[in-house]
Amino acid sequence: MINKVVSGADEAIQDITDGSVLMLGGFGLCGIPENTISALIRKGVRDLTCISNNAGVDDFGIGLMLKTRQVRKMISSYVGENAEFERQLLSGELEVELIPQGTLAERIRAGGAGIPAFFTPTGYGTEVAEGKEARQFENGKWYILESWLKADFAIVKAWKGDKTGNLVFRGTARNFNPMMATAGRITIAEVEELVEPGELDPNQIHTPGVFVQRIYQGAAYEKRIEQRTTRKA
Amino acid sequence: MALDKFQIAKRIARELRDGYYVNLGIGIPTLVANYIPAGVNVELQSENGLLGMGPFPLEAEVDADYINAGKQTITTLPGSSIFSSSDSFGMIRGGHIQLTILGAMEVSENGDIANWKIPGKMVKGMGGAMDLVASTDNIVVAMMHTNKEGESKLLPKCELPLTGKGCIKKVCTDLGFFEIRDGAFHLLELAPGVTVEEVKSKTAGKLVIAPDVKEMTF
């Protein structure tokens, strides 16, 4: 067994330095690596480029790292719901690159799968296509060339993981986590429950351990809900 | 009387067909789920990674790991499936989702759509909208016919930055139901009590009145 276990978030991120490019899993606040984000704030690394579908809210998720001015650039598909983000963007402290959500997902997948670029119909004829090669394929439709995305560190959150780094996600907390796990030079996985090899059914693994370099059980999970919506019985 | 947002949703729900996989955008499109016709079985896709989206949970069922693309807590249904964001957009771009319903700021007579960016205002991002409009053949736009200033949102050419080019074929507004083809908005149905004259006066893009234009009934 190849043992990937580290003692906790602080050890997992010990070699993340100023200027690193990070991927952070999650959609909204669902499935975000909250313990690792707390450790990044404790460590105080700065000038980070964060690739993440969203940028958290003012007081949770990546929003906490914006508040401490640790993020230089966000690469995301949607960054609403964050007043501090807006302030830093308008004042020029923060750079933002907006990418269509499916293109973001596929660029990350490509990064992990060794595909340097691909053609997608998304964004053809819009400002997203500016400066990119466009090509018409045999179906008559136009596509634009998009390149892979990789990160120095991919930081993901899973429900369960074993000591060799196999991961299982739960519900829609899966989202960007599986692709990001494949696209980091170093992938750090935090899990709600860390188990022994053999406890997870090999047929049910979402992310094989080969993609994960470090794994730890998160100390605490708030799992905050952004829009609590319910129906009456 | 112009349609309210619930009636727009109700009219658009008539576009659903048995066996469709459907992606509903945020706002009026979400309401369409409340008006699925009897006998029509559809599965709703949430692009953050769920097919077979169920209703909002009961208070006791709320689970932070189950949300929709609007970040609202939701439930699954028997037969639901869960997948990654890349699988989700694979099924969208791959043409496996039969119908997309979304909102818009502007639509043009050649089917262009603008719904993500207003120059000079804080841009939040396009989310999955560009992928959806570039990929689905069958897209219905749900929107008000005019903006807050009373200006037409059905235009000869979009003035705002585009979300997609030549991709919209159907539009339902508070005034009527339109098909876009041959470079024009074709008025097929009028909201109850709305006149052709009113639609003409509020439509800046090229408008064709279908010879058999009829009034919607609810």
Side-chain angles (χ1 to χ4, degrees):
Chain A
M1 173 191 108
I2 303 175
N3 191 349
K4 311 278 178 68
V5 178
V6 294
S7 60
D10 296 298
E11 186 190 341
I13 63 153
Q14 59 178 341
D15 50 353
I16 295 185
T17 55
D18 291 355
S20 293
V21 176
L22 311 182
M23 284 180 184
L24 295 115
F27 184 98
L29 301 179
C30 183
I32 62 171
E34 40 184 288
N35 288 276
T36 314
I37 289 171
S38 299
L40 287 166
I41 292 164
R42 280 195 296 276
K43 187 169 164 73
V45 280
R46 302 177 68 88
D47 293 323
L48 300 171
T49 294
C50 292
I51 302 168
S52 181
N53 189 54
N54 311 98
V57 296
D58 277 321
D59 59 349
F60 202 60
I62 294 175
L64 294 168
M65 299 203 298
L66 291 166
K67 203 176 262 181
T68 50
R69 313 273 185 91
Q70 290 173 263
V71 183
R72 183 182 59 79
K73 183 177 181 181
M74 281 300 312
I75 299 178
S76 305
S77 86
Y78 187 82
V79 293
E81 343 305 347
N82 192 322
E84 176 63 14
F85 184 98
E86 184 166 349
R87 192 199 63 72
Q88 290 186 22
L89 182 63
L90 296 174
S91 70
E93 293 163 63
L94 179 69
E95 196 186 330
V96 177
E97 185 179 341
L98 293 168
I99 297 178
Q101 195 176 136
T103 298
L104 179 63
E106 192 63 13
R107 288 180 66 186
I108 296 166
R109 200 192 71 78
I115 306 286
F118 57 91
F119 281 96
T120 177
T122 304
Y124 174 74
T126 75
E127 64 185 59
V128 164
E130 284 168 19
K132 292 171 186 161
E133 183 186 338
R135 194 185 293 183
Q136 192 176 25
F137 281 80
E138 61 278 7
N139 59 359
K141 204 167 156 173
W142 284 87
Y143 297 80
I144 59 172
L145 188 66
E146 294 280 2
S147 61
W148 59 9
L149 273 175
K150 298 185 191 203
D152 298 320
F153 296 88
I155 301 170
V156 302
K157 187 260 163 183
W159 178 41
K160 291 182 181 182
D162 69 22
K163 292 179 174 177
T164 70
N166 292 312
L167 303 178
V168 176
F169 303 95
R170 181 172 179 276
T172 54
R174 189 182 317 186
N175 55 66
F176 280 82
N177 283 297
M179 296 90 73
M180 287 185 174
T182 69
R185 188 177 53 79
I186 301 283
T187 291
I188 298 165
E190 60 168 90
V191 297
E192 289 180 53
E193 193 182 343
L194 183 63
V195 301
E196 293 297 328
E199 288 187 46
L200 300 175
D201 178 352
N203 291 295
Q204 307 296 334
I205 301 294
H206 297 133
T207 292
V210 67
F211 296 116
V212 175
Q213 280 68 47
R214 299 169 193 168
I215 189 166
Y216 72 94
Q217 183 170 306
Y221 283 98
E222 179 181 338
K223 293 175 69 166
R224 193 183 293 187
I225 291 170
E226 209 165 329
Q227 305 279 346
R228 191 185 188 90
T229 44
T230 57
R231 71 177 199 275
K232 298 264 180 285
Chain B
M1 268 280 285
L3 303 182
D4 62 24
K5 61 181 182 178
F6 300 101
Q7 290 170 308
I8 294 175
K10 209 168 175 180
R11 170 59 191 86
I12 291 175
R14 295 177 190 163
E15 299 299 304
L16 300 170
R17 297 288 175 271
D18 197 40
Y20 269 12
Y21 290 90
V22 181
N23 183 289
L24 302 178
I26 292 164
I28 297 173
T30 306
L31 299 172
V32 173
N34 301 329
Y35 302 106
I36 299 169
V40 172
N41 292 298
V42 298
E43 275 202 24
L44 303 179
Q45 197 237 24
S46 188
E47 65 263 26
N48 55 318
L50 170 64
L51 262 180
M53 183 167 40
F56 294 143
L58 296 170
E59 188 60 39
E61 297 172 336
V62 168
D63 186 330
D65 287 341
Y66 290 83
I67 64 166
N68 63 18
K71 284 103 177 177
Q72 297 170 310
T73 44
I74 41 99
T75 56
T76 57
L77 294 169
S80 290
S81 59
I82 283 167
F83 35 84
S84 71
S85 300
S86 64
D87 281 345
S88 178
F89 284 93
M91 60 184 79
I92 289 169
R93 281 190 310 266
H96 308 281
I97 303 297
Q98 281 81 24
L99 176 64
T100 287
I101 302 170
L102 79 177
M105 298 170 188
E106 296 176 347
V107 175
S108 77
E109 61 194 26
N110 64 349
D112 295 351
I113 177 173
N115 74 350
W116 76 284
K117 183 176 184 179
I118 301 174
K121 288 200 177 172
M122 164 73 186
V123 181
K124 292 183 170 185
M126 65 292 278
M130 281 193 183
D131 304 278
L132 284 159
V133 300
S135 308
T136 322
D137 284 334
N138 195 4
I139 303 172
V140 183
V141 165
M143 67 177 191
M144 292 296 148
H145 205 90
T146 57
N147 63 20
K148 288 193 188 92
E149 286 72 43
E151 298 158 343
S152 179
K153 294 168 72 172
L154 284 65
L155 301 171
K157 190 173 185 299
C158 292
E159 283 154 24
L160 297 169
L162 293 187
T163 307
K165 212 170 162 48
C167 48
I168 306 302
K169 297 193 182 72
K170 291 172 185 167
V171 181
C172 186
T173 75
D174 49 329
L175 301 186
F177 192 90
F178 304 81
E179 246 178 47
I180 301 177
R181 62 185 141 84
D182 310 321
F185 296 99
H186 293 250
L187 174 65
L188 304 186
E189 295 172 37
L190 281 162
V194 169
T195 62
V196 167
E197 290 315 309
E198 182 178 359
V199 174
K200 277 184 179 168
S201 72
K202 291 179 174 171
T203 305
K206 191 174 174 199
L207 181 68
V208 175
I209 312 299
D212 57 344
V213 62
K214 56 181 191 286
E215 191 173 286
M216 288 176 204
T217 50
F218 288 97

